[in-house]
Amino acid sequence: MRISHKRNIQCKLHKQKPLLTNTTSAVNNTLKIETVIETAEIVDVVASKPIVASKSVVALTPKQQQVLDIVVNHTDGLNPKGIGLEAGQEEAKAAAWATGALKKLTEERLVERIQLAGNKVLYKAL
């Protein structure tokens, strides 16, 4: 790298704008923003309507929906490998296939995770 090019790069990195002009414009901008925010809050308070609580709609992917259907059909619970085999996956990767969808369904509280002895897990629909 040429020394003059390196020096130009360093100058660009160390350039600073005059401190006084930045602070003055920043103060003016914040005052304008505060004024706008205050007027917006007043409008929101006057125009607000009562909020009705509604049941949240969960958007599921086709894979998650398929796993949920399989779990609902087995009321006594099913392990991830059994769910993957029901879905038509190979035996070697059946559990891994179902685990991602089961994690999302558990977070959304559509499926209950039951820990058995050791590392055995069953999933039941709620």
Side-chain angles (χ1 to χ4, degrees), residues 6-44:
K6 188 174 182 180
R7 186 173 45 237
N8 287 337
I9 299 279
Q10 291 296 325
C11 285
K12 288 180 182 178
L13 291 175
H14 292 291
K15 268 189 182 176
Q16 293 182 356
K17 295 181 181 178
L19 190 59
L20 185 61
T21 59
N22 281 344
T23 56
T24 307
S25 64
V27 169
N28 290 338
N29 288 341
T30 56
L31 289 176
K32 290 178 185 176
I33 292 172
E34 288 175 3
T35 307
V36 171
I37 290 174
E38 288 174 8
T39 57
E41 289 178 30
I42 293 170
V43 172
D44 288 340

PDB file of all heavy atoms in Angstrom, residues 6-44:
ATOM      1  N   LYS A   6      -2.291   5.473   2.386  1.00  0.00           N
ATOM      2  CA  LYS A   6      -2.519   5.130   3.794  1.00  0.00           C
ATOM      3  C   LYS A   6      -2.765   6.392   4.615  1.00  0.00           C
ATOM      4  O   LYS A   6      -3.628   6.427   5.485  1.00  0.00           O
ATOM      5  CB  LYS A   6      -1.312   4.360   4.321  1.00  0.00           C
ATOM      6  CG  LYS A   6      -1.507   3.779   5.687  1.00  0.00           C
ATOM      7  CD  LYS A   6      -0.317   2.917   6.053  1.00  0.00           C
ATOM      8  CE  LYS A   6      -0.530   2.279   7.406  1.00  0.00           C
ATOM      9  NZ  LYS A   6       0.598   1.432   7.783  1.00  0.00           N
ATOM     10  N   ARG A   7      -2.012   7.445   4.339  1.00  0.00           N
ATOM     11  CA  ARG A   7      -2.177   8.700   5.066  1.00  0.00           C
ATOM     12  C   ARG A   7      -3.548   9.313   4.790  1.00  0.00           C
ATOM     13  O   ARG A   7      -4.218   9.813   5.691  1.00  0.00           O
ATOM     14  CB  ARG A   7      -1.048   9.667   4.685  1.00  0.00           C
ATOM     15  CG  ARG A   7      -1.040  10.940   5.495  1.00  0.00           C
ATOM     16  CD  ARG A   7       0.168  11.823   5.223  1.00  0.00           C
ATOM     17  NE  ARG A   7       0.445  11.958   3.797  1.00  0.00           N
ATOM     18  CZ  ARG A   7       1.613  11.641   3.225  1.00  0.00           C
ATOM     19  NH1 ARG A   7       2.605  11.169   3.936  1.00  0.00           N
ATOM     20  NH2 ARG A   7       1.783  11.791   1.927  1.00  0.00           N
ATOM     21  N   ASN A   8      -3.999   9.237   3.539  1.00  0.00           N
ATOM     22  CA  ASN A   8      -5.326   9.763   3.205  1.00  0.00           C
ATOM     23  C   ASN A   8      -6.431   8.995   3.925  1.00  0.00           C
ATOM     24  O   ASN A   8      -7.407   9.583   4.406  1.00  0.00           O
ATOM     25  CB  ASN A   8      -5.557   9.710   1.693  1.00  0.00           C
ATOM     26  CG  ASN A   8      -4.770  10.754   0.953  1.00  0.00           C
ATOM     27  OD1 ASN A   8      -4.397  11.774   1.531  1.00  0.00           O
ATOM     28  ND2 ASN A   8      -4.502  10.509  -0.319  1.00  0.00           N
ATOM     29  N   ILE A   9      -6.289   7.695   4.000  1.00  0.00           N
ATOM     30  CA  ILE A   9      -7.272   6.870   4.693  1.00  0.00           C
ATOM     31  C   ILE A   9      -7.319   7.248   6.174  1.00  0.00           C
ATOM     32  O   ILE A   9      -8.380   7.411   6.761  1.00  0.00           O
ATOM     33  CB  ILE A   9      -6.933   5.371   4.558  1.00  0.00           C
ATOM     34  CG1 ILE A   9      -6.951   4.943   3.105  1.00  0.00           C
ATOM     35  CG2 ILE A   9      -7.854   4.519   5.409  1.00  0.00           C
ATOM     36  CD1 ILE A   9      -8.286   4.657   2.536  1.00  0.00           C
ATOM     37  N   GLN A  10      -6.139   7.396   6.771  1.00  0.00           N
ATOM     38  CA  GLN A  10      -6.077   7.755   8.183  1.00  0.00           C
ATOM     39  C   GLN A  10      -6.723   9.115   8.435  1.00  0.00           C
ATOM     40  O   GLN A  10      -7.409   9.319   9.437  1.00  0.00           O
ATOM     41  CB  GLN A  10      -4.624   7.762   8.680  1.00  0.00           C
ATOM     42  CG  GLN A  10      -3.987   6.400   8.749  1.00  0.00           C
ATOM     43  CD  GLN A  10      -4.676   5.494   9.757  1.00  0.00           C
ATOM     44  OE1 GLN A  10      -5.137   5.934  10.799  1.00  0.00           O
ATOM     45  NE2 GLN A  10      -4.760   4.217   9.417  1.00  0.00           N
ATOM     46  N   CYS A  11      -6.507  10.068   7.522  1.00  0.00           N
ATOM     47  CA  CYS A  11      -7.126  11.393   7.675  1.00  0.00           C
ATOM     48  C   CYS A  11      -8.641  11.301   7.631  1.00  0.00           C
ATOM     49  O   CYS A  11      -9.341  11.970   8.398  1.00  0.00           O
ATOM     50  CB  CYS A  11      -6.626  12.339   6.577  1.00  0.00           C
ATOM     51  SG  CYS A  11      -4.955  12.924   6.860  1.00  0.00           S
ATOM     52  N   LYS A  12      -9.158  10.492   6.733  1.00  0.00           N
ATOM     53  CA  LYS A  12     -10.609  10.330   6.635  1.00  0.00           C
ATOM     54  C   LYS A  12     -11.179   9.693   7.891  1.00  0.00           C
ATOM     55  O   LYS A  12     -12.268  10.036   8.340  1.00  0.00           O
ATOM     56  CB  LYS A  12     -10.966   9.489   5.417  1.00  0.00           C
ATOM     57  CG  LYS A  12     -10.761  10.199   4.112  1.00  0.00           C
ATOM     58  CD  LYS A  12     -11.132   9.325   2.949  1.00  0.00           C
ATOM     59  CE  LYS A  12     -10.864  10.032   1.647  1.00  0.00           C
ATOM     60  NZ  LYS A  12     -11.172   9.187   0.493  1.00  0.00           N
ATOM     61  N   LEU A  13     -10.450   8.754   8.476  1.00  0.00           N
ATOM     62  CA  LEU A  13     -10.921   8.104   9.689  1.00  0.00           C
ATOM     63  C   LEU A  13     -10.915   9.044  10.883  1.00  0.00           C
ATOM     64  O   LEU A  13     -11.755   8.944  11.774  1.00  0.00           O
ATOM     65  CB  LEU A  13     -10.072   6.870   9.997  1.00  0.00           C
ATOM     66  CG  LEU A  13     -10.226   5.701   9.043  1.00  0.00           C
ATOM     67  CD1 LEU A  13      -9.235   4.598   9.398  1.00  0.00           C
ATOM     68  CD2 LEU A  13     -11.630   5.167   9.081  1.00  0.00           C
ATOM     69  N   HIS A  14      -9.971   9.966  10.922  1.00  0.00           N
ATOM     70  CA  HIS A  14      -9.833  10.849  12.072  1.00  0.00           C
ATOM     71  C   HIS A  14     -10.532  12.186  11.895  1.00  0.00           C
ATOM     72  O   HIS A  14     -10.449  13.036  12.779  1.00  0.00           O
ATOM     73  CB  HIS A  14      -8.350  11.081  12.376  1.00  0.00           C
ATOM     74  CG  HIS A  14      -7.677   9.847  12.872  1.00  0.00           C
ATOM     75  ND1 HIS A  14      -7.950   9.292  14.090  1.00  0.00           N
ATOM     76  CD2 HIS A  14      -6.749   9.044  12.297  1.00  0.00           C
ATOM     77  CE1 HIS A  14      -7.223   8.199  14.257  1.00  0.00           C
ATOM     78  NE2 HIS A  14      -6.488   8.023  13.183  1.00  0.00           N
ATOM     79  N   LYS A  15     -11.202  12.403  10.763  1.00  0.00           N
ATOM     80  CA  LYS A  15     -11.895  13.672  10.548  1.00  0.00           C
ATOM     81  C   LYS A  15     -12.999  13.827  11.567  1.00  0.00           C
ATOM     82  O   LYS A  15     -13.744  12.898  11.855  1.00  0.00           O
ATOM     83  CB  LYS A  15     -12.506  13.731   9.157  1.00  0.00           C
ATOM     84  CG  LYS A  15     -11.625  14.334   8.121  1.00  0.00           C
ATOM     85  CD  LYS A  15     -12.389  14.549   6.851  1.00  0.00           C
ATOM     86  CE  LYS A  15     -11.502  15.101   5.785  1.00  0.00           C
ATOM     87  NZ  LYS A  15     -12.195  15.234   4.523  1.00  0.00           N
ATOM     88  N   GLN A  16     -13.139  15.010  12.100  1.00  0.00           N
ATOM     89  CA  GLN A  16     -14.222  15.309  13.017  1.00  0.00           C
ATOM     90  C   GLN A  16     -14.863  16.614  12.587  1.00  0.00           C
ATOM     91  O   GLN A  16     -14.184  17.540  12.169  1.00  0.00           O
ATOM     92  CB  GLN A  16     -13.706  15.440  14.448  1.00  0.00           C
ATOM     93  CG  GLN A  16     -13.200  14.145  15.007  1.00  0.00           C
ATOM     94  CD  GLN A  16     -12.741  14.316  16.450  1.00  0.00           C
ATOM     95  OE1 GLN A  16     -12.744  15.415  16.973  1.00  0.00           O
ATOM     96  NE2 GLN A  16     -12.357  13.219  17.053  1.00  0.00           N
ATOM     97  N   LYS A  17     -16.147  16.672  12.732  1.00  0.00           N
ATOM     98  CA  LYS A  17     -16.858  17.902  12.415  1.00  0.00           C
ATOM     99  C   LYS A  17     -16.726  18.845  13.600  1.00  0.00           C
ATOM    100  O   LYS A  17     -16.535  18.397  14.726  1.00  0.00           O
ATOM    101  CB  LYS A  17     -18.320  17.600  12.126  1.00  0.00           C
ATOM    102  CG  LYS A  17     -18.500  16.764  10.888  1.00  0.00           C
ATOM    103  CD  LYS A  17     -19.940  16.502  10.622  1.00  0.00           C
ATOM    104  CE  LYS A  17     -20.087  15.632   9.387  1.00  0.00           C
ATOM    105  NZ  LYS A  17     -21.465  15.314   9.114  1.00  0.00           N
ATOM    106  N   PRO A  18     -16.871  20.115  13.359  1.00  0.00           N
ATOM    107  CA  PRO A  18     -16.797  21.061  14.476  1.00  0.00           C
ATOM    108  C   PRO A  18     -17.839  20.711  15.528  1.00  0.00           C
ATOM    109  O   PRO A  18     -19.002  20.471  15.228  1.00  0.00           O
ATOM    110  CB  PRO A  18     -17.103  22.409  13.830  1.00  0.00           C
ATOM    111  CG  PRO A  18     -16.768  22.222  12.396  1.00  0.00           C
ATOM    112  CD  PRO A  18     -17.005  20.782  12.086  1.00  0.00           C
ATOM    113  N   LEU A  19     -17.411  20.675  16.758  1.00  0.00           N
ATOM    114  CA  LEU A  19     -18.240  20.229  17.856  1.00  0.00           C
ATOM    115  C   LEU A  19     -19.398  21.174  18.125  1.00  0.00           C
ATOM    116  O   LEU A  19     -20.512  20.756  18.420  1.00  0.00           O
ATOM    117  CB  LEU A  19     -17.378  20.081  19.116  1.00  0.00           C
ATOM    118  CG  LEU A  19     -18.014  19.401  20.299  1.00  0.00           C
ATOM    119  CD1 LEU A  19     -18.444  17.991  19.918  1.00  0.00           C
ATOM    120  CD2 LEU A  19     -17.080  19.356  21.470  1.00  0.00           C
ATOM    121  N   LEU A  20     -19.202  22.474  17.993  1.00  0.00           N
ATOM    122  CA  LEU A  20     -20.218  23.461  18.324  1.00  0.00           C
ATOM    123  C   LEU A  20     -21.424  23.377  17.392  1.00  0.00           C
ATOM    124  O   LEU A  20     -22.564  23.425  17.848  1.00  0.00           O
ATOM    125  CB  LEU A  20     -19.605  24.867  18.293  1.00  0.00           C
ATOM    126  CG  LEU A  20     -20.520  26.003  18.722  1.00  0.00           C
ATOM    127  CD1 LEU A  20     -20.963  25.776  20.159  1.00  0.00           C
ATOM    128  CD2 LEU A  20     -19.820  27.334  18.600  1.00  0.00           C
ATOM    129  N   THR A  21     -21.196  23.217  16.101  1.00  0.00           N
ATOM    130  CA  THR A  21     -22.324  23.163  15.168  1.00  0.00           C
ATOM    131  C   THR A  21     -23.155  21.906  15.359  1.00  0.00           C
ATOM    132  O   THR A  21     -24.367  21.937  15.246  1.00  0.00           O
ATOM    133  CB  THR A  21     -21.842  23.225  13.703  1.00  0.00           C
ATOM    134  OG1 THR A  21     -20.964  22.135  13.477  1.00  0.00           O
ATOM    135  CG2 THR A  21     -21.145  24.533  13.412  1.00  0.00           C
ATOM    136  N   ASN A  22     -22.508  20.788  15.672  1.00  0.00           N
ATOM    137  CA  ASN A  22     -23.242  19.543  15.895  1.00  0.00           C
ATOM    138  C   ASN A  22     -24.137  19.635  17.115  1.00  0.00           C
ATOM    139  O   ASN A  22     -25.281  19.209  17.103  1.00  0.00           O
ATOM    140  CB  ASN A  22     -22.275  18.368  16.069  1.00  0.00           C
ATOM    141  CG  ASN A  22     -21.733  17.871  14.749  1.00  0.00           C
ATOM    142  OD1 ASN A  22     -22.283  18.190  13.705  1.00  0.00           O
ATOM    143  ND2 ASN A  22     -20.668  17.103  14.806  1.00  0.00           N
ATOM    144  N   THR A  23     -23.628  20.176  18.199  1.00  0.00           N
ATOM    145  CA  THR A  23     -24.427  20.225  19.417  1.00  0.00           C
ATOM    146  C   THR A  23     -25.598  21.185  19.267  1.00  0.00           C
ATOM    147  O   THR A  23     -26.687  20.924  19.749  1.00  0.00           O
ATOM    148  CB  THR A  23     -23.556  20.647  20.619  1.00  0.00           C
ATOM    149  OG1 THR A  23     -22.938  21.892  20.332  1.00  0.00           O
ATOM    150  CG2 THR A  23     -22.521  19.591  20.929  1.00  0.00           C
ATOM    151  N   THR A  24     -25.396  22.308  18.576  1.00  0.00           N
ATOM    152  CA  THR A  24     -26.479  23.266  18.391  1.00  0.00           C
ATOM    153  C   THR A  24     -27.590  22.662  17.547  1.00  0.00           C
ATOM    154  O   THR A  24     -28.767  22.757  17.908  1.00  0.00           O
ATOM    155  CB  THR A  24     -25.946  24.545  17.703  1.00  0.00           C
ATOM    156  OG1 THR A  24     -24.833  25.021  18.439  1.00  0.00           O
ATOM    157  CG2 THR A  24     -27.016  25.592  17.631  1.00  0.00           C
ATOM    158  N   SER A  25     -27.229  22.010  16.456  1.00  0.00           N
ATOM    159  CA  SER A  25     -28.252  21.404  15.605  1.00  0.00           C
ATOM    160  C   SER A  25     -28.914  20.233  16.314  1.00  0.00           C
ATOM    161  O   SER A  25     -30.112  19.992  16.165  1.00  0.00           O
ATOM    162  CB  SER A  25     -27.660  20.965  14.267  1.00  0.00           C
ATOM    163  OG  SER A  25     -26.702  19.950  14.475  1.00  0.00           O
ATOM    164  N   ALA A  26     -28.163  19.493  17.121  1.00  0.00           N
ATOM    165  CA  ALA A  26     -28.735  18.365  17.850  1.00  0.00           C
ATOM    166  C   ALA A  26     -29.755  18.839  18.874  1.00  0.00           C
ATOM    167  O   ALA A  26     -30.815  18.246  19.041  1.00  0.00           O
ATOM    168  CB  ALA A  26     -27.633  17.562  18.526  1.00  0.00           C
ATOM    169  N   VAL A  27     -29.449  19.942  19.553  1.00  0.00           N
ATOM    170  CA  VAL A  27     -30.389  20.488  20.529  1.00  0.00           C
ATOM    171  C   VAL A  27     -31.668  20.946  19.840  1.00  0.00           C
ATOM    172  O   VAL A  27     -32.777  20.681  20.306  1.00  0.00           O
ATOM    173  CB  VAL A  27     -29.734  21.649  21.324  1.00  0.00           C
ATOM    174  CG1 VAL A  27     -30.772  22.395  22.132  1.00  0.00           C
ATOM    175  CG2 VAL A  27     -28.635  21.116  22.214  1.00  0.00           C
ATOM    176  N   ASN A  28     -31.526  21.623  18.705  1.00  0.00           N
ATOM    177  CA  ASN A  28     -32.709  22.078  17.963  1.00  0.00           C
ATOM    178  C   ASN A  28     -33.548  20.897  17.492  1.00  0.00           C
ATOM    179  O   ASN A  28     -34.778  20.933  17.575  1.00  0.00           O
ATOM    180  CB  ASN A  28     -32.291  22.939  16.766  1.00  0.00           C
ATOM    181  CG  ASN A  28     -31.730  24.277  17.208  1.00  0.00           C
ATOM    182  OD1 ASN A  28     -32.008  24.743  18.307  1.00  0.00           O
ATOM    183  ND2 ASN A  28     -30.923  24.890  16.362  1.00  0.00           N
ATOM    184  N   ASN A  29     -32.901  19.844  17.012  1.00  0.00           N
ATOM    185  CA  ASN A  29     -33.634  18.663  16.546  1.00  0.00           C
ATOM    186  C   ASN A  29     -34.367  17.979  17.690  1.00  0.00           C
ATOM    187  O   ASN A  29     -35.505  17.559  17.537  1.00  0.00           O
ATOM    188  CB  ASN A  29     -32.682  17.674  15.879  1.00  0.00           C
ATOM    189  CG  ASN A  29     -32.201  18.164  14.524  1.00  0.00           C
ATOM    190  OD1 ASN A  29     -32.822  19.041  13.925  1.00  0.00           O
ATOM    191  ND2 ASN A  29     -31.104  17.612  14.050  1.00  0.00           N
ATOM    192  N   THR A  30     -33.731  17.867  18.849  1.00  0.00           N
ATOM    193  CA  THR A  30     -34.402  17.216  19.970  1.00  0.00           C
ATOM    194  C   THR A  30     -35.585  18.034  20.451  1.00  0.00           C
ATOM    195  O   THR A  30     -36.601  17.468  20.846  1.00  0.00           O
ATOM    196  CB  THR A  30     -33.424  16.964  21.137  1.00  0.00           C
ATOM    197  OG1 THR A  30     -32.830  18.198  21.513  1.00  0.00           O
ATOM    198  CG2 THR A  30     -32.375  15.954  20.765  1.00  0.00           C
ATOM    199  N   LEU A  31     -35.481  19.339  20.418  1.00  0.00           N
ATOM    200  CA  LEU A  31     -36.614  20.174  20.824  1.00  0.00           C
ATOM    201  C   LEU A  31     -37.785  19.973  19.876  1.00  0.00           C
ATOM    202  O   LEU A  31     -38.938  19.870  20.292  1.00  0.00           O
ATOM    203  CB  LEU A  31     -36.212  21.650  20.871  1.00  0.00           C
ATOM    204  CG  LEU A  31     -35.274  22.048  22.016  1.00  0.00           C
ATOM    205  CD1 LEU A  31     -34.883  23.512  21.884  1.00  0.00           C
ATOM    206  CD2 LEU A  31     -35.931  21.793  23.355  1.00  0.00           C
ATOM    207  N   LYS A  32     -37.501  19.897  18.564  1.00  0.00           N
ATOM    208  CA  LYS A  32     -38.563  19.664  17.587  1.00  0.00           C
ATOM    209  C   LYS A  32     -39.200  18.300  17.804  1.00  0.00           C
ATOM    210  O   LYS A  32     -40.415  18.158  17.769  1.00  0.00           O
ATOM    211  CB  LYS A  32     -38.006  19.753  16.164  1.00  0.00           C
ATOM    212  CG  LYS A  32     -37.618  21.142  15.749  1.00  0.00           C
ATOM    213  CD  LYS A  32     -37.033  21.137  14.353  1.00  0.00           C
ATOM    214  CE  LYS A  32     -36.511  22.509  13.966  1.00  0.00           C
ATOM    215  NZ  LYS A  32     -35.862  22.483  12.653  1.00  0.00           N
ATOM    216  N   ILE A  33     -38.380  17.287  18.063  1.00  0.00           N
ATOM    217  CA  ILE A  33     -38.892  15.932  18.268  1.00  0.00           C
ATOM    218  C   ILE A  33     -39.756  15.875  19.521  1.00  0.00           C
ATOM    219  O   ILE A  33     -40.836  15.299  19.525  1.00  0.00           O
ATOM    220  CB  ILE A  33     -37.724  14.924  18.356  1.00  0.00           C
ATOM    221  CG1 ILE A  33     -37.043  14.802  16.998  1.00  0.00           C
ATOM    222  CG2 ILE A  33     -38.216  13.568  18.830  1.00  0.00           C
ATOM    223  CD1 ILE A  33     -35.769  14.000  17.020  1.00  0.00           C
ATOM    224  N   GLU A  34     -39.310  16.507  20.604  1.00  0.00           N
ATOM    225  CA  GLU A  34     -40.091  16.503  21.844  1.00  0.00           C
ATOM    226  C   GLU A  34     -41.439  17.182  21.636  1.00  0.00           C
ATOM    227  O   GLU A  34     -42.462  16.725  22.134  1.00  0.00           O
ATOM    228  CB  GLU A  34     -39.313  17.191  22.956  1.00  0.00           C
ATOM    229  CG  GLU A  34     -38.133  16.376  23.453  1.00  0.00           C
ATOM    230  CD  GLU A  34     -37.301  17.122  24.473  1.00  0.00           C
ATOM    231  OE1 GLU A  34     -37.674  18.251  24.840  1.00  0.00           O
ATOM    232  OE2 GLU A  34     -36.278  16.568  24.898  1.00  0.00           O
ATOM    233  N   THR A  35     -41.461  18.271  20.878  1.00  0.00           N
ATOM    234  CA  THR A  35     -42.703  18.973  20.622  1.00  0.00           C
ATOM    235  C   THR A  35     -43.666  18.097  19.834  1.00  0.00           C
ATOM    236  O   THR A  35     -44.849  18.008  20.158  1.00  0.00           O
ATOM    237  CB  THR A  35     -42.428  20.277  19.834  1.00  0.00           C
ATOM    238  OG1 THR A  35     -41.441  21.020  20.530  1.00  0.00           O
ATOM    239  CG2 THR A  35     -43.687  21.083  19.679  1.00  0.00           C
ATOM    240  N   VAL A  36     -43.145  17.417  18.831  1.00  0.00           N
ATOM    241  CA  VAL A  36     -43.978  16.533  18.024  1.00  0.00           C
ATOM    242  C   VAL A  36     -44.503  15.376  18.866  1.00  0.00           C
ATOM    243  O   VAL A  36     -45.665  15.008  18.782  1.00  0.00           O
ATOM    244  CB  VAL A  36     -43.181  16.011  16.806  1.00  0.00           C
ATOM    245  CG1 VAL A  36     -43.959  14.935  16.080  1.00  0.00           C
ATOM    246  CG2 VAL A  36     -42.865  17.159  15.873  1.00  0.00           C
ATOM    247  N   ILE A  37     -43.685  14.824  19.712  1.00  0.00           N
ATOM    248  CA  ILE A  37     -44.097  13.700  20.551  1.00  0.00           C
ATOM    249  C   ILE A  37     -45.177  14.133  21.530  1.00  0.00           C
ATOM    250  O   ILE A  37     -46.160  13.444  21.736  1.00  0.00           O
ATOM    251  CB  ILE A  37     -42.884  13.111  21.300  1.00  0.00           C
ATOM    252  CG1 ILE A  37     -41.966  12.408  20.311  1.00  0.00           C
ATOM    253  CG2 ILE A  37     -43.330  12.149  22.377  1.00  0.00           C
ATOM    254  CD1 ILE A  37     -40.674  11.923  20.912  1.00  0.00           C
ATOM    255  N   GLU A  38     -45.032  15.299  22.113  1.00  0.00           N
ATOM    256  CA  GLU A  38     -46.037  15.775  23.064  1.00  0.00           C
ATOM    257  C   GLU A  38     -47.393  15.950  22.394  1.00  0.00           C
ATOM    258  O   GLU A  38     -48.416  15.554  22.935  1.00  0.00           O
ATOM    259  CB  GLU A  38     -45.574  17.090  23.690  1.00  0.00           C
ATOM    260  CG  GLU A  38     -44.433  16.916  24.672  1.00  0.00           C
ATOM    261  CD  GLU A  38     -43.907  18.239  25.173  1.00  0.00           C
ATOM    262  OE1 GLU A  38     -44.529  19.280  24.870  1.00  0.00           O
ATOM    263  OE2 GLU A  38     -42.897  18.245  25.871  1.00  0.00           O
ATOM    264  N   THR A  39     -47.433  16.503  21.200  1.00  0.00           N
ATOM    265  CA  THR A  39     -48.714  16.688  20.523  1.00  0.00           C
ATOM    266  C   THR A  39     -49.302  15.351  20.102  1.00  0.00           C
ATOM    267  O   THR A  39     -50.500  15.155  20.168  1.00  0.00           O
ATOM    268  CB  THR A  39     -48.558  17.601  19.287  1.00  0.00           C
ATOM    269  OG1 THR A  39     -47.584  17.020  18.419  1.00  0.00           O
ATOM    270  CG2 THR A  39     -48.143  18.995  19.694  1.00  0.00           C
ATOM    271  N   ALA A  40     -48.466  14.413  19.714  1.00  0.00           N
ATOM    272  CA  ALA A  40     -48.959  13.095  19.319  1.00  0.00           C
ATOM    273  C   ALA A  40     -49.570  12.368  20.505  1.00  0.00           C
ATOM    274  O   ALA A  40     -50.580  11.686  20.368  1.00  0.00           O
ATOM    275  CB  ALA A  40     -47.837  12.273  18.707  1.00  0.00           C
ATOM    276  N   GLU A  41     -48.985  12.505  21.675  1.00  0.00           N
ATOM    277  CA  GLU A  41     -49.522  11.848  22.858  1.00  0.00           C
ATOM    278  C   GLU A  41     -50.900  12.383  23.203  1.00  0.00           C
ATOM    279  O   GLU A  41     -51.792  11.635  23.555  1.00  0.00           O
ATOM    280  CB  GLU A  41     -48.572  12.039  24.046  1.00  0.00           C
ATOM    281  CG  GLU A  41     -47.291  11.237  23.916  1.00  0.00           C
ATOM    282  CD  GLU A  41     -46.359  11.493  25.073  1.00  0.00           C
ATOM    283  OE1 GLU A  41     -46.852  11.787  26.179  1.00  0.00           O
ATOM    284  OE2 GLU A  41     -45.148  11.397  24.874  1.00  0.00           O
ATOM    285  N   ILE A  42     -51.100  13.658  23.072  1.00  0.00           N
ATOM    286  CA  ILE A  42     -52.398  14.250  23.380  1.00  0.00           C
ATOM    287  C   ILE A  42     -53.453  13.723  22.414  1.00  0.00           C
ATOM    288  O   ILE A  42     -54.548  13.365  22.816  1.00  0.00           O
ATOM    289  CB  ILE A  42     -52.307  15.792  23.316  1.00  0.00           C
ATOM    290  CG1 ILE A  42     -51.402  16.297  24.445  1.00  0.00           C
ATOM    291  CG2 ILE A  42     -53.680  16.411  23.418  1.00  0.00           C
ATOM    292  CD1 ILE A  42     -51.049  17.759  24.338  1.00  0.00           C
ATOM    293  N   VAL A  43     -53.122  13.634  21.141  1.00  0.00           N
ATOM    294  CA  VAL A  43     -54.063  13.123  20.157  1.00  0.00           C
ATOM    295  C   VAL A  43     -54.411  11.673  20.437  1.00  0.00           C
ATOM    296  O   VAL A  43     -55.560  11.271  20.346  1.00  0.00           O
ATOM    297  CB  VAL A  43     -53.486  13.286  18.727  1.00  0.00           C
ATOM    298  CG1 VAL A  43     -54.353  12.601  17.703  1.00  0.00           C
ATOM    299  CG2 VAL A  43     -53.332  14.760  18.396  1.00  0.00           C
ATOM    300  N   ASP A  44     -53.414  10.862  20.806  1.00  0.00           N
ATOM    301  CA  ASP A  44     -53.660   9.458  21.096  1.00  0.00           C
ATOM    302  C   ASP A  44     -54.586   9.277  22.289  1.00  0.00           C
ATOM    303  O   ASP A  44     -55.436   8.408  22.297  1.00  0.00           O
ATOM    304  CB  ASP A  44     -52.338   8.722  21.358  1.00  0.00           C
ATOM    305  CG  ASP A  44     -51.523   8.528  20.087  1.00  0.00           C
ATOM    306  OD1 ASP A  44     -52.124   8.609  19.003  1.00  0.00           O
ATOM    307  OD2 ASP A  44     -50.307   8.287  20.199  1.00  0.00           O
TER     308      ASP A  44
END
